[in-house]
Amino acid sequence: MNLIGISGALRKASTNTGLLRALKSLLPDGVGMEIVTLHGIPLFDEDVIAASGKPAVVTELADRIRAADGLIIATPEYQFSVPGVLKNATDWLSTCNHPFRWKRTGVVGASAGALAGTARAQYHLRQNLQALEAITMPRPEIMIVHNEEKFDGNGELTDGETRQRLGKWLKAYLDWVEKKP
Amino acid sequence: MNLIGISGALRKASTNTGLLRALKSLLPDGVGMEIVTLHGIPLFDEDVIAASGKPAVVTELADRIRAADGLIIATPEYQFSVPGVLKNATDWLSTCNHPFRWKRTGVVGASAGALAGTARAQYHLRQNLQALEAITMPRPEIMIVHNEEKFDGNGELTDGETRQRLGKWLKAYLDWVEKKP
Amino acid sequence: MNLIGISGALRKASTNTGLLRALKSLLPDGVGMEIVTLHGIPLFDEDVIAASGKPAVVTELADRIRAADGLIIATPEYQFSVPGVLKNATDWLSTCNHPFRWKRTGVVGASAGALAGTARAQYHLRQNLQALEAITMPRPEIMIVHNEEKFDGNGELTDGETRQRLGKWLKAYLDWVEKKP
Amino acid sequence: MNLIGISGALRKASTNTGLLRALKSLLPDGVGMEIVTLHGIPLFDEDVIAASGKPAVVTELADRIRAADGLIIATPEYQFSVPGVLKNATDWLSTCNHPFRWKRTGVVGASAGALAGTARAQYHLRQNLQALEAITMPRPEIMIVHNEEKFDGNGELTDGETRQRLGKWLKAYLDWVEKKP
């Protein structure tokens, strides 16, 4: 099984990119995951497309999503929604012949502070993914609060209990990708 | 009274930018509106901010929003949510000392086809604006369907009935900005 | 294949219950659908449950949902969300050992006027169904505007074009239930 | 100043009703709050209205909301949205000549467990309140997690830190009601 993990964060030390690395480290034998960040995708502007066409970084990402057996998106939360960077990427990808169609998708996220743990961003992302015809796993959910206590300064997960939760979530997700209920 | 109108679209011939121009043409004497597009605002990346600081285009826009008596945002709808370009701008603006706080804000939008008229984008935008501490006018709403029939190829409003609806909405909005219920 | 259709409306002449009847009339041979309304489900009150237990109408509905191969919910829209009557029913059903888990679910709706066609209700319902672990079909969507022109006074669909749209939607839904992508 | 507090919970020992009692106990001199639960409001059914008219419990509640200087709604969260009981009440109240129009409204909630604290219910409620033309305070928000540790078995708030948070929120809310920014 071949997964793709997309981080909605550009920051090098992002805990959301770190969350994908932690999930990758927990994968069983025979399952791989490529982790992708959204660097290099320009702002979506139809006038630019008309003049210069679609950038290769976008069409290549669309192809990799299409080829994957499952997709995991880790999203930060900015101002009660997804980062513009992540939404901008799906605006581009929506022009690439339905790469998300029926794709089994898991949504996860980590944020600072006691509340939400990217809940608001995740529901906006799920509605966006509905438009893209992805199938998102309803439950369980992963919303990590207090990421400042659970990841180090490089965005590496250091908290054992969170690692356990991720392991359980990952098991549920892989079952769901494989059995296609 | 001094308003600012922000278009969530970059396309030169955008009907949403045209919607703001139509609203501007309907303003009564003594009320002005500056129309702003989001060209030149880079993708939000905390590593870039740490290295190079905040771009002037962002801090200047924040100042203009702060100075305005009211704000109107015209949003396209991409994939059941706001354009990444618009969300990206509010990600930046949220770092600029609360330019939206208590700002009386109207939300409008136009889209192609028979359905929605940017409804989904508008509710996501309203939640985003809540995070930014704006006060959004609850009703009436403006959601223009079939924009391909109501605007010309340059994004100019040509439909008389829509112009009338905009006039009524604008009257309600200006009253609401002035009386601050 | 055995479907269950739940109407979120109590009104006898409801166009949403009529929408389910129209869908039923379009089913191919070998596919059946039981249409259910929510009459008789009391207001959810944990004190009443503690005193009197769960009403049979609720546990029987849970069993019928669990037994069905697919579920279609037709929702009216009241005040930018689902009817309280529909939400109240899912509050009860959530106590009945996961009747919605992995259930292939289609969401449809009809409303008066030019706008929305129950769009806002449908997205709230989808989030509610996520909590209940249903799998909702992302697209196509059915949001019928101007139901006053398309249904007669008894809630019977009279509009041929809408019937055609329903037929296409139903074909996509049945494929999606059968193939389980 | 005369406030009304509506609890979305029917349970006698509800922590959300208790949250309103805690807020009431923190009110400064000269500010009162009537606390209302939704007992006795029947399920909304247009056929019943046509046959029997609107129940007095609904029209009286509408009058009390209309008369109040501000409104606070405390909502539980059931299955990622508001309780059906609460939504059902606003379905009724929407037929009573706009009792919520321009009403300064605060949204609060408490839930069990580590996550959300009724976040999902609150955003659905805010969209519902938009339809009803209420003005909702954007921030600060009150979303109490782990209510099982902070309230006793009768729904009385026992946690000092939460009481402090409520005091700060209440101060912000009362300022916002008074100054009408």
Side-chain angles (χ1 to χ4, degrees):
Chain A
M1 194 189 294
N2 170 36
L3 307 177
I4 183 165
I6 296 178
S7 172
L10 293 181
R11 195 163 59 93
K12 211 169 152 35
S14 157
T15 57
N16 279 286
T17 313
L19 177 49
L20 291 175
R21 285 193 302 270
L23 286 169
K24 183 172 182 165
S25 75
L26 290 162
L27 289 171
D29 284 351
V31 183
M33 178 162 72
E34 177 190 25
I35 296 175
V36 174
T37 61
L38 301 169
H39 291 90
I41 299 183
L43 285 157
F44 183 75
D45 180 344
E46 284 157 311
D47 290 336
V48 171
I49 305 179
S52 330
K54 216 174 288 181
V57 64
V58 168
T59 53
E60 283 165 17
L61 179 53
D63 289 343
R64 283 142 83 188
I65 293 169
R66 194 177 288 108
D69 298 305
L71 165 66
I72 298 173
I73 303 183
T75 182
E77 178 172 294
Y78 294 165
Q79 306 305 318
F80 298 1
S81 187
V82 296
V85 163
L86 176 55
K87 183 57 175 54
N88 181 64
T90 70
D91 293 344
W92 276 107
L93 291 164
S94 72
T95 68
C96 298
N97 201 20
H98 306 284
F100 292 96
R101 182 176 279 167
W102 310 142
K103 192 66 59 185
R104 295 263 150 174
T105 304
V107 174
V108 299
S111 68
L115 199 71
T118 72
R120 305 153 179 128
Q122 290 193 25
Y123 298 114
H124 280 199
L125 178 57
R126 283 175 182 274
Q127 186 167 314
N128 181 217
L129 286 164
Q130 184 207 327
L132 297 163
E133 300 177 72
I135 308 261
T136 48
M137 180 165 73
R139 285 194 171 191
E141 300 183 313
I142 287 287
M143 297 168 175
I144 299 173
V145 295
H146 282 308
N147 64 2
E148 69 280 7
E149 298 171 2
K150 293 166 186 161
F151 294 81
D152 69 17
N154 298 316
E156 294 301 325
L157 179 67
T158 53
D159 183 63
E161 196 186 318
T162 302
R163 184 172 297 274
Q164 273 198 322
R165 273 180 65 207
L166 291 183
K168 279 185 199 172
W169 181 88
L170 191 61
K171 193 175 173 322
Y173 172 72
L174 294 174
D175 276 3
W176 182 79
V177 172
E178 199 177 0
K179 296 183 187 156
K180 289 188 180 287
Chain B
M1 194 189 293
N2 171 36
L3 306 177
I4 183 165
I6 296 178
S7 172
L10 294 181
R11 197 163 57 93
K12 210 167 152 37
S14 157
T15 57
N16 279 287
T17 312
L19 178 49
L20 291 176
R21 285 194 301 271
L23 286 169
K24 183 171 182 166
S25 75
L26 291 162
L27 289 172
D29 285 350
V31 182
M33 179 162 71
E34 178 189 26
I35 296 176
V36 174
T37 60
L38 301 170
H39 292 90
I41 299 183
L43 284 158
F44 183 74
D45 180 343
E46 284 157 311
D47 290 336
V48 172
I49 305 179
S52 329
K54 217 175 288 181
V57 64
V58 168
T59 52
E60 283 166 18
L61 178 54
D63 288 343
R64 283 142 83 187
I65 294 170
R66 194 177 287 108
D69 298 306
L71 165 66
I72 299 174
I73 303 183
T75 183
E77 178 172 295
Y78 294 164
Q79 306 305 318
F80 297 1
S81 187
V82 296
V85 163
L86 176 54
K87 182 57 174 56
N88 181 64
T90 70
D91 293 344
W92 277 107
L93 291 163
S94 73
T95 68
C96 297
N97 202 19
H98 305 283
F100 293 95
R101 182 176 281 166
W102 310 142
K103 192 65 58 186
R104 294 262 152 176
T105 304
V107 174
V108 300
S111 67
L115 198 71
T118 73
R120 306 154 179 125
Q122 289 194 26
Y123 299 113
H124 279 199
L125 178 57
R126 284 175 182 272
Q127 185 166 314
N128 182 216
L129 286 164
Q130 183 207 327
L132 298 162
E133 301 178 72
I135 308 261
T136 48
M137 181 164 73
R139 285 193 171 194
E141 300 184 314
I142 287 287
M143 297 168 175
I144 299 173
V145 295
H146 281 308
N147 65 2
E148 70 280 8
E149 298 171 3
K150 293 168 186 162
F151 294 81
D152 68 18
N154 297 316
E156 295 301 323
L157 179 67
T158 53
D159 183 61
E161 196 185 318
T162 301
R163 184 172 298 275
Q164 274 199 320
R165 272 180 64 205
L166 290 183
K168 279 187 199 170
W169 181 88
L170 191 61
K171 194 175 172 319
Y173 171 73
L174 294 174
D175 276 3
W176 181 79
V177 171
E178 200 178 1
K179 295 185 187 155
K180 289 185 180 290
Chain C
M1 194 188 295
N2 171 35
L3 306 177
I4 183 165
I6 296 178
S7 171
L10 294 181
R11 195 162 58 93
K12 210 169 152 38
S14 156
T15 57
N16 279 287
T17 312
L19 178 49
L20 291 175
R21 285 194 301 271
L23 286 169
K24 183 171 182 167
S25 75
L26 291 162
L27 289 172
D29 284 350
V31 182
M33 178 163 70
E34 178 190 25
I35 297 176
V36 174
T37 60
L38 302 170
H39 291 89
I41 299 183
L43 284 157
F44 183 74
D45 180 343
E46 284 157 310
D47 290 336
V48 172
I49 305 178
S52 329
K54 217 173 288 182
V57 64
V58 168
T59 52
E60 283 165 17
L61 179 54
D63 289 343
R64 281 141 84 189
I65 293 170
R66 194 177 288 109
D69 298 304
L71 165 66
I72 299 174
I73 303 183
T75 182
E77 178 173 294
Y78 294 165
Q79 307 304 319
F80 298 1
S81 187
V82 297
V85 163
L86 176 53
K87 183 55 175 56
N88 182 64
T90 69
D91 294 343
W92 275 108
L93 291 163
S94 72
T95 68
C96 297
N97 201 19
H98 305 283
F100 293 96
R101 182 176 279 167
W102 310 141
K103 192 66 58 186
R104 295 262 151 175
T105 304
V107 174
V108 299
S111 68
L115 199 71
T118 73
R120 305 152 180 129
Q122 289 194 25
Y123 298 113
H124 279 199
L125 178 57
R126 283 176 182 272
Q127 186 166 314
N128 182 216
L129 286 164
Q130 183 207 327
L132 297 162
E133 301 176 72
I135 308 261
T136 48
M137 181 164 72
R139 286 194 169 190
E141 300 184 314
I142 287 287
M143 297 167 176
I144 299 173
V145 295
H146 283 306
N147 64 3
E148 70 280 7
E149 298 171 2
K150 294 168 185 160
F151 294 81
D152 68 17
N154 297 315
E156 294 302 324
L157 179 67
T158 54
D159 183 63
E161 196 185 319
T162 302
R163 185 172 297 275
Q164 274 198 321
R165 271 179 66 205
L166 290 183
K168 279 186 199 172
W169 181 88
L170 192 60
K171 194 176 172 322
Y173 172 73
L174 293 173
D175 276 3
W176 181 79
V177 171
E178 200 178 1
K179 295 183 188 156
K180 291 188 180 284
Chain D
M1 195 189 293
N2 171 35
L3 306 176
I4 183 165
I6 296 178
S7 172
L10 293 182
R11 196 163 57 93
K12 211 168 152 36
S14 156
T15 57
N16 279 285
T17 313
L19 177 49
L20 291 175
R21 286 194 301 271
L23 285 169
K24 184 172 182 165
S25 75
L26 290 163
L27 289 172
D29 284 351
V31 183
M33 179 162 72
E34 178 189 25
I35 295 175
V36 174
T37 60
L38 301 169
H39 292 90
I41 299 183
L43 284 157
F44 183 75
D45 180 343
E46 283 157 310
D47 290 337
V48 172
I49 305 179
S52 331
K54 217 174 286 180
V57 64
V58 168
T59 52
E60 283 166 17
L61 178 54
D63 289 342
R64 283 142 84 189
I65 293 169
R66 195 177 286 108
D69 298 304
L71 165 66
I72 299 175
I73 303 183
T75 183
E77 178 173 294
Y78 295 165
Q79 306 306 317
F80 297 3
S81 187
V82 297
V85 163
L86 176 54
K87 183 55 175 56
N88 182 64
T90 70
D91 293 344
W92 276 108
L93 291 163
S94 73
T95 68
C96 298
N97 201 20
H98 305 285
F100 293 96
R101 182 175 280 166
W102 309 143
K103 194 64 59 186
R104 294 263 152 174
T105 304
V107 174
V108 299
S111 67
L115 199 70
T118 72
R120 305 153 179 127
Q122 290 194 26
Y123 298 114
H124 280 200
L125 178 57
R126 283 175 182 273
Q127 185 166 315
N128 182 217
L129 286 164
Q130 184 206 328
L132 298 162
E133 301 178 69
I135 308 261
T136 48
M137 181 165 73
R139 286 194 170 191
E141 300 183 314
I142 287 286
M143 297 168 175
I144 299 173
V145 295
H146 282 308
N147 65 2
E148 70 280 8
E149 298 172 3
K150 293 167 186 162
F151 294 81
D152 68 18
N154 297 315
E156 295 302 323
L157 178 67
T158 53
D159 183 63
E161 196 185 318
T162 301
R163 185 172 296 275
Q164 273 198 321
R165 272 180 65 206
L166 290 183
K168 279 187 200 172
W169 181 88
L170 191 61
K171 193 175 172 322
Y173 172 72
L174 294 174
D175 276 4
W176 181 80
V177 171
E178 200 178 0
K179 296 183 187 156
K180 290 187 179 289

